[in-house]
Amino acid sequence: MPQPSRAVLAAAVCLVASAPGCRPPAEEGPTMEEIAESFVKLALAVGEHDPDYVDAYLGPEEWREEVAAEQAALPTLRERAAAALDALGALPPAGDRLAEMRRRNLDKTLRSLIARVDLLAGTEMSFDEESAALYDAVAPTHPAEHFQEILDRLGETLPGEGPLVARWDAFRADFVIPAERLDAVFQAAIEACRERTAPHLELPAEESFTVEYVTDKSWSGYNWYKGGYHSLIQVNTDLPIHIDRAVDLACHEGYPGHHVYNLLVERDLVAGRGWTEFTVYPLFSPRSLIAEGTANFGIDVAFPGDERVVFEREVLYPLAGLDPGRAGDYQKVLAMVRELSYAGNEAARRYLDGELDAAGAAAWLETYALMPPERASQRVRFMEQYRSYVINYNLGEDLVRGWVAAQGGIAADPEARWAAFERLLSEPWLPSDLE
């Protein structure tokens, strides 16, 4: 098939970017910056069709207004994205390692955007096809027997009789943070996470975030990055919040998780290097596996070994009015329950592939992920809204953990671990780079 000339590609990118006076020479193609600008506008335009698509935007407000005024149709956006992808492929080789990483990252993210447009237009993909197209990764498949073996071990540990999910729910009831103590516990966890992050990662002096408590959400916590090194972190209080979630959310949404990831991208890639494409964060893109993976693994980076349970026992349990003497036993059981994390992926895969209906997916979560009915129902709502996004948490954490360890970042060498972790936060890595 004949390939379009560079002049044609340049004209297409100019059309997407709508740059005043954009008249590319006949023999020259668009620059990386022009392609990056076109990508940002494309992402904003997809966001007009999909309210969950744009997770954060740091660019000019007039670009958002321009895109909102045009209301380009999905086929038009797909055509423009394909033109931008072709223009990117026509660029000469990048000059250095980071520049080449940037180019590969934009290529993969443009392909991800096209896949999202296809999904919005009604294209059917399997769970694994979708995750590969959007997130540059496919989660492993586990049979029910894999989780049953873990459940059998748990059954020997948890007290009581009857269904295991009910026993687990009853056991956890003793570790719920009372509503009136919730903010004090979270604020203490946030302060500790920041204190453990700041000596290793240079943070902007003006960085900050605020916490809000919300209801009626499909997720348990969310970081809304506002730019200028500030985040809004929302905590969903629909269901009881257990003591372990304090450190989980403070690290994952705050330090050294999403808040730090986003502010380092803004400081190092947007302000530091002028890479325009990073002024927009498309949620359904490879960036999310890196973001969720580092946010989850960041918990262990900030609290290696037994340091977490010691902190919880000495600080958070008293603040919550819970018995500190039970912290060790609770953490031991939690470690076993976390081995069931991929059961959530299996429920989503089977649900989205049509092997289970919503009730069947909830039942699977109750049986193999030990979620009580109300939490399983909330998780199914999450699957319906975010689909294959679920792989980014556990697979993302596993890929990040393995890559950091391969760089020498093991628990016995915390400085090497923090250094490798910072590289993932501040450079344009792809999930496939970590395999």
Side-chain angles (χ1 to χ4, degrees):
M1 178 181 295
Q3 296 299 308
S5 69
R6 297 194 69 199
V8 171
L9 296 176
V13 172
C14 279
L15 178 63
V16 175
S18 301
C22 185
R23 298 290 187 272
E27 297 302 323
E28 294 185 10
T31 65
M32 182 67 170
E33 183 56 31
E34 288 168 336
I35 299 169
E37 179 178 328
S38 72
F39 163 73
V40 173
K41 293 185 178 182
L42 282 164
L44 294 175
V46 174
E48 292 294 307
H49 295 269
D50 178 1
D52 291 323
Y53 188 70
V54 176
D55 192 69
Y57 176 58
L58 314 175
E61 191 58 33
E62 55 264 32
W63 289 5
R64 197 199 303 263
E65 295 169 355
E66 172 191 320
V67 163
E70 183 189 15
Q71 290 294 307
L74 289 173
T76 299
L77 298 180
R78 195 189 196 288
E79 182 180 351
R80 292 176 178 179
L85 190 62
D86 286 340
L88 183 66
L91 290 176
D96 58 40
R97 180 184 69 88
L98 282 178
E100 179 57 30
M101 290 179 71
R102 177 196 187 189
R103 177 171 162 164
R104 291 181 59 251
N105 190 285
L106 184 52
D107 177 278
K108 190 71 73 170
T109 307
L110 273 165
R111 295 178 189 276
S112 172
L113 182 147
I114 291 171
R116 187 64 182 177
V117 168
D118 287 344
L119 286 165
L120 293 171
T123 299
E124 293 187 1
M125 298 183 190
S126 70
F127 181 87
D128 289 342
E129 289 170 342
E130 179 183 313
S131 72
L134 296 181
Y135 308 116
D136 190 32
V138 174
T141 300
H142 296 287
E145 292 78 11
H146 169 81
F147 305 110
Q148 188 59 55
E149 186 275 329
I150 301 168
L151 293 170
D152 290 343
R153 286 191 281 116
L154 266 167
E156 299 173 359
T157 303
L158 282 173
E161 297 180 356
L164 198 56
V165 64
R167 290 160 59 191
W168 168 232
D169 203 32
F171 180 78
R172 288 195 89 185
D174 292 340
F175 301 93
V176 172
I177 305 171
E180 68 276 10
R181 295 174 179 254
L182 188 61
D183 189 58
V185 172
F186 267 112
Q187 293 299 336
I190 290 166
E191 181 180 357
C193 291
R194 190 183 191 284
E195 287 178 351
R196 288 167 172 268
T197 300
H200 305 282
L201 304 179
E202 184 180 351
L203 305 177
E206 61 270 40
E207 64 83 15
S208 65
F209 67 73
T210 54
V211 179
E212 288 183 355
Y213 301 96
V214 298
T215 57
D216 194 27
K217 304 295 181 183
S218 65
W219 35 257
S220 59
Y222 208 110
N223 177 296
W224 302 98
Y225 190 66
K226 301 299 184 181
Y229 311 134
H230 179 73
S231 294
L232 168 65
I233 294 176
Q234 292 183 326
V235 177
N236 186 6
T237 59
D238 281 342
L239 300 175
I241 298 179
H242 299 84
I243 190 68
D244 56 294
R245 294 298 289 154
V247 166
D248 281 353
L249 287 173
C251 281
H252 183 101
E253 307 295 349
Y255 309 95
H258 291 325
H259 175 63
V260 173
Y261 171 76
N262 283 309
L263 69 84
L264 290 184
V265 167
E266 181 178 6
R267 186 191 68 189
D268 296 345
L269 301 186
V270 176
R273 294 184 175 273
W275 290 357
T276 302
E277 66 270 27
F278 287 96
T279 61
V280 68
Y281 176 6
L283 186 67
F284 305 108
S285 73
R287 281 183 62 182
S288 284
L289 187 138
I290 302 295
E292 300 293 1
T294 52
N296 268 359
F297 181 57
I299 300 168
D300 286 346
V301 176
F303 289 90
D306 293 333
E307 292 184 25
R308 172 174 176 168
V309 69
V310 170
F311 167 72
E312 290 174 336
R313 181 173 59 239
E314 295 180 355
V315 178
L316 297 189
Y317 274 72
L319 280 174
L322 303 179
D323 179 6
R326 301 188 65 192
D329 290 341
Y330 183 49
Q331 191 62 35
K332 178 183 176 181
V333 176
L334 272 177
M336 297 178 67
V337 172
R338 289 188 181 116
E339 294 181 47
L340 298 169
S341 71
Y342 278 89
N345 291 19
E346 290 303 324
R349 178 184 279 115
R350 294 168 189 231
Y351 180 35
L352 297 177
D353 285 350
E355 298 177 26
L356 296 172
D357 59 12
W364 174 280
L365 290 169
E366 291 176 38
T367 301
Y368 294 111
L370 286 190
M371 294 186 183
E374 63 276 10
R375 197 170 297 277
S377 296
Q378 183 191 63
R379 194 63 175 172
V380 171
R381 286 174 55 205
F382 184 93
M383 294 171 187
E384 292 170 342
Q385 183 173 358
Y386 296 102
R387 299 179 57 84
S388 62
Y389 192 92
V390 296
I391 74 159
N392 293 323
Y393 299 101
N394 42 31
L395 179 62
E397 179 179 356
D398 288 346
L399 290 177
V400 166
R401 184 186 303 276
W403 185 88
V404 169
Q407 313 309 306
I410 56 176
D413 191 347
E415 289 306 316
R417 187 183 243 192
W418 276 106
F421 187 77
E422 183 176 19
R423 286 184 63 199
L424 281 180
L425 295 178
S426 58
E427 295 180 356
W429 294 89
L430 288 167
S432 51
D433 295 331
L434 310 185
E435 295 177 349

